[in-house]
Amino acid sequence: QVQLVESGGGLVQPGGSLILSCAASGPIFSINDMVWYRQAPGKERGSVAIITGDGTTTYRDSEKGRFTISRDNAKNAVYLQMSSLKLEDTAVYYCYARLKRTPSDYETGYWGQGTQVTVSS
């Protein structure tokens, strides 16, 4: 059973920093895109940052220059380094990965359970 587990969330003051981690485990042959999403109360879930299998990164405009996404293929992990955090960054952050469990498998998307990030003074 493939699982994605996020960690690193918590309470941080405005202007502070956090690093989120997400590790995929289980029968995994290859991982393509890895994405960080977030969902604030009363709002839809939306992507924050994407890193493709070849390492290409894309960010939402409001996060450019503040967030950095990276991955460690040997650990099947993706990270989100967040700095200059704002009140509006408060949300549950989810990781998502498109992967194959075997060489002949179709690529399938998996979600983590989410980790809460609260920015508050």
Side-chain angles (χ1 to χ4, degrees), residues 37-58:
Y37 284 82
R38 72 184 183 191
Q39 187 168 19
K43 295 188 176 181
E44 292 187 355
R45 190 177 301 188
S47 65
V48 172
I50 302 168
I51 186 165
T52 63
D54 64 2
T56 301
T57 59
T58 305

Side-chain angles (χ1 to χ4, degrees), residues 14-87:
S17 300
L18 275 178
I19 299 176
L20 305 182
S21 301
C22 173
S25 62
I28 297 171
F29 170 72
S30 65
I31 301 179
N32 193 0
D33 295 351
M34 303 186 84
V35 188
W36 283 100
Y37 284 82
R38 72 184 183 191
Q39 187 168 19
K43 295 188 176 181
E44 292 187 355
R45 190 177 301 188
S47 65
V48 172
I50 302 168
I51 186 165
T52 63
D54 64 2
T56 301
T57 59
T58 305
Y59 300 92
R60 191 162 59 180
D61 285 346
S62 57
E63 278 68 59
K64 284 182 180 178
R66 298 192 302 124
F67 290 6
T68 302
I69 188 171
S70 60
R71 62 191 289 170
D72 184 335
N73 292 328
K75 297 181 178 179
N76 289 333
V78 62
Y79 309 96
L80 187 67
Q81 184 171 351
M82 305 185 292
S83 61
S84 302
L85 283 164
K86 305 175 182 179
L87 298 176

Side-chain angles (χ1 to χ4, degrees), residues 85-119:
L85 283 164
K86 305 175 182 179
L87 298 176
E88 52 265 41
D89 293 319
T90 295
V92 178
Y93 285 72
Y94 299 89
C95 71
Y96 173 85
R98 293 193 60 82
L99 57 89
K100 290 184 176 182
R101 292 171 298 170
T102 67
S104 59
D105 197 12
Y106 288 105
E107 201 169 83
T108 304
Y110 292 84
W111 289 94
Q113 83 288 351
T115 186
Q116 176 70 46
V117 172
T118 302
V119 183

